[in-house]
Amino acid sequence: METFTHKDVLDAGLTDWRDLAQGLHARFGTGDFAAGLRFVNAVGAAAEEAGHHPDVTLTYPHVDIMLISHDAGALTDRDVDLARQISAIASEQGITAHPDALVQVELALDTADISGVGPFWAALLRGDTEALQDGDVVGDARVPLLWFQDTEAHETPRQRFHLDVWVPADQAQERIAAALAAGGTLVDDEAAPAFTVLADAEGNRACVCTSAR
């Protein structure tokens, strides 16, 4: 299988889709539940034919879709091909994508003892310590992924949790500007556009992350 980088995704011309923390994401505005259901049924038929299945969330006004090749742990040509098919289905049904509405949130916890605290968070968030995989508590549609940032041991008080807010690369500056205008401060943009560290008025930090490097 051919794997795809952020640049490859851009070059593929998938205008409806953006690569975030976990896979390719798209939001399609259906306007009502019946239209969404018709769209999901058509997407499901295409996925069955391709033998490759996306994560689909159907709500009243829109449908969210995520594609990733779990067996490869990356985006592959299967994801790109199915993304193109899904966009074609949306176009045929008069459904518009809203890439500017995409966002994905991950939790990050600073810890010097991943093996000690990881099972606790897996059991608490997912009800099963087996959810701790490769140093992450694997998320789903209900619970965001929790990853552990290795750090030296330190005494509290010190912020240990922070949010990683993943947005499309072409939306990052707008999101950062909005947060700063709402009272935030810029802490560190040395690693931008991969991530930019912001803080609220009390100093609590969060990162705006993109797949661009």
Side-chain angles (χ1 to χ4, degrees):
M1 291 179 290
E2 180 185 0
T3 59
F4 281 69
T5 65
H6 173 71
K7 183 178 183 303
D8 294 331
V9 172
L10 293 177
D11 292 343
L14 302 174
T15 57
D16 293 344
W17 300 79
R18 299 292 186 272
D19 57 323
L20 300 179
Q22 305 292 326
L24 276 176
H25 295 251
R27 169 167 287 188
F28 295 94
T30 54
D32 62 67
F33 196 82
L37 187 57
R38 286 194 299 271
F39 177 56
V40 168
N41 284 336
V43 169
E48 282 296 305
E49 184 175 350
H52 187 50
H53 302 94
D55 291 341
V56 179
T57 302
L58 168 63
T59 65
Y60 181 83
H62 57 255
V63 173
D64 289 329
I65 301 179
M66 191 273 281
L67 285 162
I68 193 169
S69 296
H70 294 286
D71 53 350
L75 294 175
T76 70
D77 49 346
R78 293 180 302 182
D79 303 302
V80 172
D81 290 344
L82 187 54
R84 289 196 176 104
Q85 292 182 55
I86 292 171
S87 290
I89 292 169
S91 179
E92 291 169 0
Q93 296 189 5
I95 293 172
T96 303
H98 298 286
D100 57 331
L102 294 172
V103 65
Q104 183 180 17
V105 175
E106 291 185 340
L107 300 174
L109 175 61
D110 288 356
T111 178
D113 186 14
I114 296 174
S115 62
V117 304
F120 166 83
W121 287 104
L124 180 66
L125 294 174
R126 298 298 306 278
D128 188 349
T129 58
E130 295 299 316
L132 180 63
Q133 300 176 16
D134 298 323
D136 299 331
V137 177
V138 180
D140 61 13
R142 301 162 302 152
V143 179
L145 180 142
L146 169 64
W147 68 279
F148 299 98
Q149 181 168 277
D150 191 33
T151 186
E152 295 181 359
H154 54 76
E155 295 183 4
T156 54
R158 173 176 167 181
Q159 184 181 352
R160 293 177 181 266
F161 267 111
H162 72 268
L163 299 182
D164 282 344
V165 182
W166 286 79
V167 298
D170 57 355
Q171 299 291 321
Q173 286 305 312
E174 182 178 348
R175 184 62 60 92
I176 291 167
L180 295 177
T185 58
L186 176 64
V187 177
D188 186 358
D189 62 357
E190 183 177 349
F195 66 90
T196 300
V197 184
L198 306 178
D200 67 13
E202 292 186 339
N204 300 302
R205 297 183 179 188
C207 294
V208 176
C209 305
T210 80
S211 296
R213 297 293 184 268

